[in-house]
Amino acid sequence: MSAALLPKPQMRRLLARRMKFHLLGAFLVSMTSAALYKFGVAEPRKRAYAEFYKKYDPMKDFETMKAAGVFECAPPK
């Protein structure tokens, strides 16, 4: 009597069905995290580097380091 009330368990294609669900979830999570990293970290970093190198003068920086005595081959004056 109680055996007739319980539904039979799903035994076939159980792994395939669960795998489909988990692959879709993993794909969505990975794409979301990639987009968040790109727009939250990579793009601001690229803008910061571009802004820094717009104003950067390597010869002025070299002269400052030379005057500080950083280089052995170019002694300070």
Side-chain angles (χ1 to χ4, degrees):
M1 189 181 338
S2 65
L5 298 176
L6 294 176
K8 288 181 78 175
Q10 171 84 27
M11 299 303 283
R12 294 177 193 235
R13 293 181 291 277
L14 182 62
L15 177 64
R17 192 177 60 187
R18 288 179 53 91
M19 186 69 71
K20 205 181 299 183
F21 172 75
H22 286 103
L23 282 176
L24 178 64
F27 179 75
L28 291 175
V29 167
S30 65
M31 293 306 280
T32 303
S33 61
L36 286 174
Y37 180 81
K38 178 177 174 38
F39 295 114
V41 176
E43 291 297 324
R45 187 178 290 171
K46 284 197 298 191
R47 282 194 301 270
Y49 273 101
E51 185 178 324
F52 173 77
Y53 281 109
K54 279 182 195 172
K55 299 181 276 185
Y56 182 64
D57 183 15
M59 288 309 294
K60 179 182 169 208
D61 203 24
F62 171 72
E63 293 298 329
T64 305
M65 288 189 283
K66 183 177 161 184
V70 175
F71 302 114
E72 291 180 10
C73 63
K77 291 183 180 182

